[in-house]
Amino acid sequence: QVSPGLRTPQLPVWVCGVSGRHGVLFGTDSRLLSDWKCERIFHLYFYSGQQEQAQTAHLTIDTHSHPWEEARREDPCSPGKRRPALEMAIRTKWAGATVSWNGTEPFF
């Protein structure tokens, strides 16, 4: 029998498989699970256990960003427009969101 805590987590947590590597993306605000208004600007943390990751990455997600303010002439495949795979995975849940790595160099 599965524990109710496993069926309905008390904090948001996702196991991610990105670019052939696995990690855990999680939040510390339980309201993110039940109150859609909390999905405006919120914080998530990512840990992969990989050698290149010295500490848990603190990410700020903004779901009401303005993507049309980016330079329109730039090719979407150009190096200036490429985004880390983890950001693209986050956008599968929150389309169009911007992800701030808060000073951490994107590594995943």
Side-chain angles (χ1 to χ4, degrees):
Q1 184 175 5
V2 176
S3 164
L6 291 175
R7 290 185 297 214
T8 308
Q10 297 199 359
L11 294 172
V13 61
W14 297 272
V15 176
C16 303
V18 181
S19 302
R21 296 186 287 175
H22 294 86
V24 178
L25 183 67
F26 61 96
T28 58
D29 186 356
S30 63
R31 295 176 303 157
L32 194 56
L33 292 171
S34 60
D35 186 359
W36 61 269
K37 294 177 212 155
C38 293
E39 291 187 4
R40 165 83 172 68
I41 295 177
F42 55 95
H43 302 281
L44 294 177
Y45 301 88
F46 181 76
Y47 184 73
S48 68
Q50 300 291 324
Q51 257 184 321
E52 65 268 14
Q53 185 177 8
Q55 61 186 21
T56 302
H58 172 216
L59 309 172
T60 301
I61 315 301
D62 182 354
T63 60
H64 286 73
S65 60
H66 303 289
W68 57 85
E69 293 175 350
E70 293 180 11
R72 293 180 185 204
R73 294 187 306 265
E74 200 171 339
D75 179 14
C77 296
S78 70
K81 293 290 260 187
R82 290 186 183 163
R83 302 288 185 239
L86 181 60
E87 287 185 30
M88 300 311 291
I90 289 170
R91 288 189 183 120
T92 64
K93 170 100 172 114
W94 296 283
T98 58
V99 178
S100 170
W101 287 74
N102 297 311
T104 302
E105 186 70 30
F107 55 87
F108 199 83

